[in-house]
Short mmCIF file of all heavy atoms in Angstrom, two decimals:
data_model
loop_
_atom_site.label_atom_id
_atom_site.label_comp_id
_atom_site.label_asym_id
_atom_site.label_seq_id
_atom_site.Cartn_x
_atom_site.Cartn_y
_atom_site.Cartn_z
N ARG A 1018 -59.91 202.60 94.77
CA ARG A 1018 -61.34 202.67 94.53
C ARG A 1018 -61.69 202.08 93.17
O ARG A 1018 -62.82 201.38 93.03
CB ARG A 1018 -61.84 204.15 94.57
CG ARG A 1018 -61.94 204.76 95.93
CD ARG A 1018 -62.52 206.15 95.83
NE ARG A 1018 -62.63 206.82 97.06
CZ ARG A 1018 -63.71 206.81 97.93
NH1 ARG A 1018 -64.73 206.05 97.62
NH2 ARG A 1018 -63.67 207.54 99.08
N ARG A 1019 -60.81 202.18 92.21
CA ARG A 1019 -61.10 201.60 90.85
C ARG A 1019 -60.95 200.05 90.94
O ARG A 1019 -61.67 199.29 90.27
CB ARG A 1019 -60.16 202.18 89.85
CG ARG A 1019 -60.46 203.59 89.44
CD ARG A 1019 -59.80 203.89 88.04
NE ARG A 1019 -58.32 203.60 88.07
CZ ARG A 1019 -57.47 204.48 88.29
NH1 ARG A 1019 -57.77 205.74 88.62
NH2 ARG A 1019 -56.13 204.13 88.36
N ALA A 1020 -59.89 199.58 91.71
CA ALA A 1020 -59.63 198.19 91.72
C ALA A 1020 -60.58 197.39 92.55
O ALA A 1020 -60.77 196.21 92.39
CB ALA A 1020 -58.16 197.98 92.18
N ILE A 1021 -61.08 198.03 93.68
CA ILE A 1021 -61.90 197.36 94.64
C ILE A 1021 -63.24 198.10 94.70
O ILE A 1021 -63.27 199.21 95.19
CB ILE A 1021 -61.27 197.32 96.06
CG1 ILE A 1021 -59.89 196.65 95.90
CG2 ILE A 1021 -62.11 196.52 97.01
CD1 ILE A 1021 -59.00 196.72 97.19
N THR A 1022 -64.37 197.50 94.31
CA THR A 1022 -65.60 198.14 94.16
C THR A 1022 -66.23 198.36 95.57
O THR A 1022 -66.94 199.36 95.77
CB THR A 1022 -66.66 197.28 93.38
OG1 THR A 1022 -66.65 195.95 93.99
CG2 THR A 1022 -66.15 197.24 92.00
N ASN A 1023 -65.93 197.60 96.65
CA ASN A 1023 -66.38 197.82 97.93
C ASN A 1023 -65.59 198.93 98.54
O ASN A 1023 -64.34 198.69 98.79
CB ASN A 1023 -66.33 196.54 98.77
CG ASN A 1023 -66.97 196.62 100.11
OD1 ASN A 1023 -66.49 197.42 100.92
ND2 ASN A 1023 -68.03 195.89 100.31
N ALA A 1024 -66.15 200.06 98.89
CA ALA A 1024 -65.34 201.15 99.44
C ALA A 1024 -64.71 200.89 100.71
O ALA A 1024 -63.56 201.28 100.98
CB ALA A 1024 -66.29 202.40 99.49
N ARG A 1025 -65.45 200.17 101.60
CA ARG A 1025 -64.91 199.88 102.99
C ARG A 1025 -63.60 199.00 102.75
O ARG A 1025 -62.65 199.14 103.44
CB ARG A 1025 -65.97 199.18 103.85
CG ARG A 1025 -65.40 198.89 105.22
CD ARG A 1025 -66.46 198.41 106.18
NE ARG A 1025 -67.40 199.42 106.61
CZ ARG A 1025 -68.25 199.40 107.58
NH1 ARG A 1025 -68.30 198.28 108.36
NH2 ARG A 1025 -69.05 200.47 107.88
N ALA A 1026 -63.76 197.96 101.90
CA ALA A 1026 -62.63 196.99 101.70
C ALA A 1026 -61.50 197.82 101.08
O ALA A 1026 -60.26 197.61 101.48
CB ALA A 1026 -63.08 195.91 100.77
N ALA A 1027 -61.76 198.73 100.16
CA ALA A 1027 -60.67 199.48 99.61
C ALA A 1027 -59.95 200.35 100.65
O ALA A 1027 -58.71 200.55 100.66
CB ALA A 1027 -61.27 200.39 98.51
N GLY A 1028 -60.75 200.88 101.61
CA GLY A 1028 -60.19 201.68 102.66
C GLY A 1028 -59.29 200.81 103.56
O GLY A 1028 -58.28 201.34 104.04
N ILE A 1029 -59.71 199.61 103.81
CA ILE A 1029 -58.95 198.69 104.68
C ILE A 1029 -57.57 198.47 104.02
O ILE A 1029 -56.54 198.39 104.63
CB ILE A 1029 -59.75 197.43 104.98
CG1 ILE A 1029 -60.90 197.68 105.80
CG2 ILE A 1029 -58.81 196.38 105.65
CD1 ILE A 1029 -61.84 196.56 106.04
N VAL A 1030 -57.67 198.18 102.66
CA VAL A 1030 -56.34 197.95 101.94
C VAL A 1030 -55.46 199.13 101.95
O VAL A 1030 -54.24 199.05 102.16
CB VAL A 1030 -56.67 197.49 100.52
CG1 VAL A 1030 -55.40 197.40 99.63
CG2 VAL A 1030 -57.44 196.19 100.46
N ALA A 1031 -56.03 200.27 101.95
CA ALA A 1031 -55.25 201.54 102.00
C ALA A 1031 -54.57 201.65 103.23
O ALA A 1031 -53.35 202.01 103.38
CB ALA A 1031 -56.18 202.76 101.70
N VAL A 1032 -55.25 201.34 104.37
CA VAL A 1032 -54.64 201.36 105.71
C VAL A 1032 -53.46 200.41 105.80
O VAL A 1032 -52.43 200.64 106.25
CB VAL A 1032 -55.70 201.02 106.83
CG1 VAL A 1032 -55.01 200.83 108.18
CG2 VAL A 1032 -56.70 202.22 106.92
N LEU A 1033 -53.80 199.16 105.38
CA LEU A 1033 -52.65 198.15 105.43
C LEU A 1033 -51.47 198.54 104.63
O LEU A 1033 -50.32 198.32 104.99
CB LEU A 1033 -53.27 196.76 104.90
CG LEU A 1033 -54.35 196.18 105.81
CD1 LEU A 1033 -54.90 194.89 105.15
CD2 LEU A 1033 -53.84 195.86 107.18
N ALA A 1034 -51.71 199.09 103.44
CA ALA A 1034 -50.57 199.40 102.46
C ALA A 1034 -49.81 200.58 103.06
O ALA A 1034 -48.53 200.53 103.03
CB ALA A 1034 -51.18 199.97 101.16
N VAL A 1035 -50.40 201.59 103.72
CA VAL A 1035 -49.74 202.70 104.31
C VAL A 1035 -48.94 202.29 105.52
O VAL A 1035 -47.76 202.65 105.72
CB VAL A 1035 -50.71 203.81 104.69
CG1 VAL A 1035 -50.01 204.98 105.52
CG2 VAL A 1035 -51.24 204.45 103.47
N LEU A 1036 -49.52 201.47 106.34
CA LEU A 1036 -48.78 200.91 107.58
C LEU A 1036 -47.60 200.10 107.25
O LEU A 1036 -46.55 200.21 107.76
CB LEU A 1036 -49.77 200.28 108.50
CG LEU A 1036 -50.93 201.12 109.10
CD1 LEU A 1036 -51.71 200.25 109.99
CD2 LEU A 1036 -50.24 202.26 109.93
N ALA A 1037 -47.80 199.14 106.30
CA ALA A 1037 -46.76 198.22 105.87
C ALA A 1037 -45.55 199.11 105.24
O ALA A 1037 -44.45 198.88 105.60
CB ALA A 1037 -47.28 197.27 104.89
N SER A 1038 -45.94 200.09 104.38
CA SER A 1038 -44.84 200.81 103.72
C SER A 1038 -44.13 201.74 104.83
O SER A 1038 -42.86 201.82 104.72
CB SER A 1038 -45.46 201.77 102.67
OG SER A 1038 -46.22 200.98 101.70
N THR A 1039 -44.87 202.36 105.64
CA THR A 1039 -44.22 203.20 106.67
C THR A 1039 -43.26 202.40 107.56
O THR A 1039 -42.15 202.73 107.80
CB THR A 1039 -45.28 203.81 107.54
OG1 THR A 1039 -46.19 204.70 106.67
CG2 THR A 1039 -44.72 204.65 108.70
N GLY A 1040 -43.75 201.26 108.07
CA GLY A 1040 -42.97 200.43 108.89
C GLY A 1040 -41.68 199.88 108.17
O GLY A 1040 -40.61 199.88 108.70
N PHE A 1041 -41.90 199.43 106.92
CA PHE A 1041 -40.78 198.90 106.17
C PHE A 1041 -39.71 199.91 105.90
O PHE A 1041 -38.50 199.73 106.07
CB PHE A 1041 -41.26 198.31 104.79
CG PHE A 1041 -40.21 197.82 103.93
CD1 PHE A 1041 -39.54 196.60 104.17
CD2 PHE A 1041 -39.82 198.56 102.84
CE1 PHE A 1041 -38.49 196.18 103.32
CE2 PHE A 1041 -38.80 198.13 102.03
CZ PHE A 1041 -38.13 196.94 102.26
N VAL A 1042 -40.16 201.15 105.45
CA VAL A 1042 -39.24 202.18 105.12
C VAL A 1042 -38.49 202.68 106.36
O VAL A 1042 -37.21 202.83 106.39
CB VAL A 1042 -39.92 203.37 104.43
CG1 VAL A 1042 -39.00 204.58 104.33
CG2 VAL A 1042 -40.46 203.02 103.10
N ALA A 1043 -39.20 202.83 107.49
CA ALA A 1043 -38.50 203.38 108.73
C ALA A 1043 -37.59 202.30 109.25
O ALA A 1043 -36.45 202.66 109.60
CB ALA A 1043 -39.65 203.65 109.77
N PHE A 1044 -37.96 201.02 109.25
CA PHE A 1044 -37.09 200.01 109.75
C PHE A 1044 -35.81 199.86 108.82
O PHE A 1044 -34.67 199.73 109.33
CB PHE A 1044 -37.83 198.68 109.79
CG PHE A 1044 -36.97 197.51 110.26
CD1 PHE A 1044 -36.75 197.24 111.57
CD2 PHE A 1044 -36.32 196.63 109.29
CE1 PHE A 1044 -35.98 196.11 111.97
CE2 PHE A 1044 -35.59 195.56 109.72
CZ PHE A 1044 -35.38 195.34 111.08
N SER A 1045 -36.01 199.94 107.45
CA SER A 1045 -34.91 199.77 106.57
C SER A 1045 -33.88 200.92 106.73
O SER A 1045 -32.67 200.71 106.68
CB SER A 1045 -35.46 199.66 105.18
OG SER A 1045 -36.32 198.60 105.03
N MET A 1046 -34.40 202.17 106.83
CA MET A 1046 -33.54 203.28 106.99
C MET A 1046 -32.65 203.20 108.26
O MET A 1046 -31.50 203.39 108.21
CB MET A 1046 -34.37 204.59 107.03
CG MET A 1046 -35.04 204.96 105.73
SD MET A 1046 -36.09 206.47 105.92
CE MET A 1046 -34.95 207.71 106.48
N ILE A 1047 -33.31 202.79 109.39
CA ILE A 1047 -32.55 202.70 110.63
C ILE A 1047 -31.54 201.55 110.57
O ILE A 1047 -30.42 201.66 111.03
CB ILE A 1047 -33.55 202.54 111.84
CG1 ILE A 1047 -34.36 203.78 111.95
CG2 ILE A 1047 -32.84 202.32 113.07
CD1 ILE A 1047 -35.56 203.66 112.88
N ALA A 1048 -32.02 200.41 110.01
CA ALA A 1048 -31.10 199.27 109.86
C ALA A 1048 -29.90 199.67 108.98
O ALA A 1048 -28.77 199.26 109.32
CB ALA A 1048 -31.81 198.08 109.23
N ALA A 1049 -30.14 200.36 107.87
CA ALA A 1049 -29.02 200.76 107.03
C ALA A 1049 -28.08 201.75 107.75
O ALA A 1049 -26.77 201.54 107.58
CB ALA A 1049 -29.50 201.38 105.72
N ALA A 1050 -28.57 202.64 108.42
CA ALA A 1050 -27.80 203.65 109.17
C ALA A 1050 -26.93 202.97 110.24
O ALA A 1050 -25.78 203.21 110.46
CB ALA A 1050 -28.65 204.72 109.73
N SER A 1051 -27.62 202.03 110.96
CA SER A 1051 -26.94 201.33 112.04
C SER A 1051 -25.85 200.43 111.50
O SER A 1051 -24.76 200.24 112.18
CB SER A 1051 -27.91 200.48 112.84
OG SER A 1051 -28.98 201.27 113.46
N ALA A 1052 -26.03 199.84 110.26
CA ALA A 1052 -24.99 199.06 109.64
C ALA A 1052 -23.73 199.88 109.36
O ALA A 1052 -22.67 199.34 109.42
CB ALA A 1052 -25.52 198.42 108.38
N LEU A 1053 -23.89 201.09 109.00
CA LEU A 1053 -22.78 201.97 108.75
C LEU A 1053 -22.04 202.27 110.00
O LEU A 1053 -20.82 202.19 110.09
CB LEU A 1053 -23.29 203.31 108.05
CG LEU A 1053 -23.78 203.26 106.74
CD1 LEU A 1053 -24.36 204.60 106.32
CD2 LEU A 1053 -22.68 202.74 105.74
N HIS A 1054 -22.79 202.59 111.14
CA HIS A 1054 -22.29 202.86 112.42
C HIS A 1054 -23.39 202.90 113.47
O HIS A 1054 -24.46 203.65 113.12
CB HIS A 1054 -21.45 204.17 112.40
CG HIS A 1054 -20.50 204.28 113.53
ND1 HIS A 1054 -20.91 204.59 114.89
CD2 HIS A 1054 -19.14 204.10 113.68
CE1 HIS A 1054 -19.94 204.60 115.67
NE2 HIS A 1054 -18.80 204.29 115.03
N PRO A 1055 -23.22 202.35 114.60
CA PRO A 1055 -24.32 202.49 115.63
C PRO A 1055 -24.79 203.95 115.88
O PRO A 1055 -25.93 204.20 116.16
CB PRO A 1055 -23.71 201.77 116.79
CG PRO A 1055 -22.72 200.86 116.30
CD PRO A 1055 -22.12 201.57 115.09
#
């Protein structure tokens, strides 16, 4: 909200950031576990 004055745009960035982080962390965790053993 401080960085982006347009509230709707700030909310869109929040959605993108949460989805990107969730997908990256989940994929990385599973990839790392699978690399140890299927």
Side-chain angles (χ1 to χ4, degrees):
R1018 284 183 183 274
R1019 287 201 306 266
I1021 304 173
T1022 55
N1023 185 295
R1025 181 173 290 195
I1029 292 172
V1030 173
V1032 168
L1033 294 175
V1035 169
L1036 293 181
S1038 300
T1039 300
F1041 175 77
V1042 170
F1044 179 83
S1045 299
M1046 288 174 62
I1047 295 168
S1051 299
L1053 292 174
H1054 196 283

